Amino acid sequence: MSGDDRRDARGRERGAARAEGRGQRSTAAPSQRRRDSDPARAVAFDVLRAVDGSDAYANLVLPPLLRERGIRGRDAGFATELAYGALRLRGRYDAVIEQAAGRETNRIDPPVLDLLRLGVHQLLGMRVPPHAAVSETVGLARSRTGAGSAQFVNAVLRAVSRQDLPTWLGLIGDAVDPAQDDPVARLSVVESHPLWIVRAMREALVAHGRSADEIGDLLRADNAAPRVTLVARPGLSTPEELLEAVPGAAGSLAPTAVVLDGGDPAGVPAVRDGRAGVQDEGSQLVAWALAAAPLEGPDVRWLDLCAGPGGKASLLAALAGGRGARLVANEVQPHRARLVEQALRAVPAEAVEAVRTGDGRLVGEDEPATFDRVMVDAPCTGLGALRRRPESRWRRTPADLATLGVLQRELLGSALRAVRPGGVVAYVTCSPHQAETRLVVKDALRVAAKQGLQAETVDAVAVLREVSPTIEGLSTDGRHDVQLWPHVHGTDAMHLTLLRRLD
């Protein structure tokens, strides 16, 4: 029986309901269990090893592995959920493993720890029957790390399987050191986010007029796999065309968005030829907002200052082309500039002035006051896309904020010099952290003023409501910037500030 035949449409293995109802578990000794490994689970294990061993990114490692090994359909969906879920919930599962194993995770060999994370996710995070989760993971351990480790994996997973998820969440939450006296410390463990990120997210919610009590909902939204969203690039495709090719529904926020119910985006003709693409609805909204911002004077030359890998650039170019404007897409890294070229391949040539490689920090000096609209999609920690990039939460540290903050301020300063008086700049980050959003804008405006350049904020909330009349839950603190939230808007946590140069 093939892997596809063993799993239902949600990747759940057949027989799960019967096994769950009776609480079945394998009673076979490790030496009697299977010695081979399920290909989908093997792929998930290899992804976790690549992420841990070589700092690879799961979204770059997984697809080629699936293609190379001929894993498709439900098995591919199972492997994806297994790998991504184990990575997202690593903090929660490590706390469970420590209790079940009676030892700290830093005393467990990394490959064996990854096997345990995969097994625990099957037991507590997926609808896999306990006997299958244990026996299949033990088989994988036997083939990859040896008989001795397989016995250890068997013992730990059997211990985990004796309690359900709510019970385990209570146990690991109660184990948090009470001496910390920190109201978010429990959430950090239970919802699997580093403590510094939980604190920063909570502060960001409050800063934008939201309740600190929403932090739990935000963290849970980060832990949910996002649905795939397509963008129908204006003048090249339409949402209706995409919906004829793949099951889904029109997006609730961006006029170009289609949210998929299933299917492979690569199988959509418009995606294959570049007339459409995969793009979060929040990313679409900020591009639309820049295009819709009120402008004084001509509107013919647009700039995407940090264009790689090209998602926002392709939407901006399509919008620009519909008005007779042209886009310059700038990217500092050559390989990412090539990705921009690929993303723009279907956009009419008259809408794209150039795709070029260069340091965005120098554009304002080299081409002062020459662009009508400028997008600064600044490099950031990516804390707003943790649901999409499962390993990021474990790699980022507070030290990254200082390094990236310098770059963000320099890029925004360059954009303010590059835009002409009366023109508009969009400062965008996929992070709600105050150190990457409002503080950057405040500092960049202060430095620009010292240099004799004046700018003002544009009401981005009003602009976005024109683009998306049904949008709710925007900033309520009286500020003009926009912060989107996964638990409120169903998007990545994109930040948008619009600025108009005055002189």
Side-chain angles (χ1 to χ4, degrees):
M1 182 180 292
S2 72
D4 280 359
D5 292 334
R6 290 198 304 268
R7 298 186 176 107
D8 64 17
R10 290 177 295 179
R12 180 186 181 191
E13 296 191 82
R14 299 190 186 278
R18 293 192 299 274
E20 289 168 357
R22 297 196 300 269
Q24 290 183 356
R25 288 189 289 272
S26 173
T27 58
S31 61
Q32 296 175 309
R33 296 184 185 177
R34 58 182 297 170
R35 294 172 178 267
D36 59 347
S37 57
D38 170 33
R41 288 178 171 89
V43 163
F45 174 71
D46 290 337
V47 170
L48 264 62
R49 293 310 309 135
V51 168
D52 178 68
S54 59
D55 285 338
Y57 290 93
N59 67 318
L60 300 180
V61 173
L62 180 60
L65 279 179
L66 294 174
R67 289 194 298 268
E68 290 169 10
R69 301 181 191 182
I71 299 174
R72 297 179 294 274
R74 293 167 183 164
D75 277 2
F78 182 88
T80 300
E81 165 54 24
L82 182 53
Y84 275 51
L87 287 168
R88 285 190 195 99
L89 296 171
R90 192 185 87 179
R92 172 189 294 176
Y93 294 154
D94 283 3
V96 171
I97 290 166
E98 287 187 347
Q99 290 207 25
R103 68 178 71 171
E104 296 181 354
T105 53
N106 59 13
R107 296 177 54 209
I108 301 174
D109 288 342
V112 177
L113 182 57
D114 278 340
L115 287 164
L116 289 171
R117 289 164 174 161
L118 293 174
V120 174
H121 186 53
Q122 292 170 71
L123 289 168
L124 302 182
M126 300 176 71
R127 301 185 69 181
V128 176
H131 77 277
V134 175
S135 64
E136 292 284 354
T137 307
V138 169
L140 182 59
R142 185 173 294 279
S143 67
R144 295 301 187 90
T145 59
S149 64
Q151 293 179 14
F152 175 67
V153 168
N154 177 63
V156 174
L157 293 184
R158 284 173 63 84
V160 173
S161 69
R162 296 187 186 107
Q163 308 287 350
D164 60 12
L165 177 60
T167 301
W168 274 116
L169 294 182
L171 289 171
I172 63 176
D174 291 342
V176 174
D177 184 2
Q180 292 187 52
D181 192 26
D182 189 332
V184 299
R186 181 186 177 102
L187 274 176
S188 171
V189 175
V190 170
E191 298 302 341
S192 194
H193 285 66
L195 184 56
W196 75 273
I197 291 180
V198 181
R199 289 172 174 162
M201 295 290 198
R202 190 168 179 265
E203 290 173 2
L205 284 167
V206 173
H208 285 275
R210 308 198 67 87
S211 170
D213 294 337
E214 293 182 31
I215 184 61
D217 292 336
L218 173 55
L219 300 180
R220 284 185 284 273
D222 273 350
N223 289 334
R227 295 171 68 186
V228 176
T229 303
L230 302 183
V231 56
R233 290 161 183 157
L236 304 176
S237 63
T238 64
E240 292 74 20
E241 177 189 355
L242 301 183
L243 289 171
E244 291 177 0
V246 67
S252 60
L253 301 177
T256 43
V258 168
V259 182
L260 302 192
D261 290 333
D264 183 4
V268 179
V271 173
R272 286 201 303 269
D273 60 27
R275 295 182 295 111
V278 177
Q279 187 175 30
D280 178 70
E281 202 163 2
S283 293
Q284 296 181 45
L285 283 175
V286 296
W288 272 99
L290 173 61
L295 195 72
E296 301 170 4
D299 190 11
V300 296
R301 198 166 186 240
W302 298 9
L303 170 67
D304 190 342
L305 192 65
C306 317
K312 295 181 184 68
S314 57
L315 179 52
L316 286 171
L319 292 169
R323 304 183 192 178
R326 306 184 75 192
L327 178 75
V328 174
N330 180 81
E331 170 56 43
V332 68
Q333 299 180 12
H335 75 279
R336 287 171 63 86
R338 290 190 290 271
L339 293 176
V340 176
E341 292 174 345
Q342 179 69 9
L344 290 169
R345 66 190 183 279
V347 178
E350 58 268 22
V352 181
E353 179 179 324
V355 177
R356 66 193 192 192
T357 303
D359 189 337
R361 294 171 295 183
L362 303 179
V363 173
E365 180 180 343
D366 295 339
E367 301 173 81
T370 57
F371 295 96
D372 304 305
R373 299 182 190 269
V374 179
M375 168 68 74
V376 186
D377 184 16
C380 67
T381 57
L383 298 183
L386 296 182
R387 60 191 188 138
R388 199 177 303 281
R389 299 168 188 160
E391 64 285 309
S392 291
R393 69 186 72 181
W394 311 117
R395 288 184 177 169
R396 289 300 188 186
T397 70
D400 294 324
L401 296 168
T403 302
L404 289 166
V406 173
L407 177 60
Q408 291 157 358
R409 286 163 173 79
E410 291 175 344
L411 288 168
L412 181 52
S414 177
L416 290 171
R417 294 190 298 273
V419 75
R420 63 163 179 81
V424 176
V425 172
Y427 176 72
V428 171
T429 64
C430 190
S431 170
H433 200 296
Q434 294 293 285
E436 300 189 271
T437 56
R438 287 178 169 175
L439 294 179
V440 170
V441 173
K442 179 181 178 180
D443 289 348
L445 288 175
R446 177 178 50 81
V447 171
K450 288 183 177 180
Q451 298 171 345
L453 187 155
Q454 299 296 323
E456 65 179 3
T457 58
V458 176
D459 190 348
V461 173
V463 171
L464 202 59
R465 284 179 175 148
E466 289 183 8
V467 170
S468 180
T470 61
I471 195 169
E472 297 179 353
L474 298 179
S475 299
T476 59
D477 63 347
R479 301 283 287 273
H480 288 165
D481 54 4
V482 165
Q483 181 62 58
L484 302 176
W485 300 101
H487 68 297
V488 177
H489 304 102
T491 68
D492 291 343
M494 302 294 299
H495 176 87
L496 167 69
T497 297
L498 294 175
L499 300 164
R500 179 185 293 110
R501 181 171 169 177
L502 299 177
D503 61 344

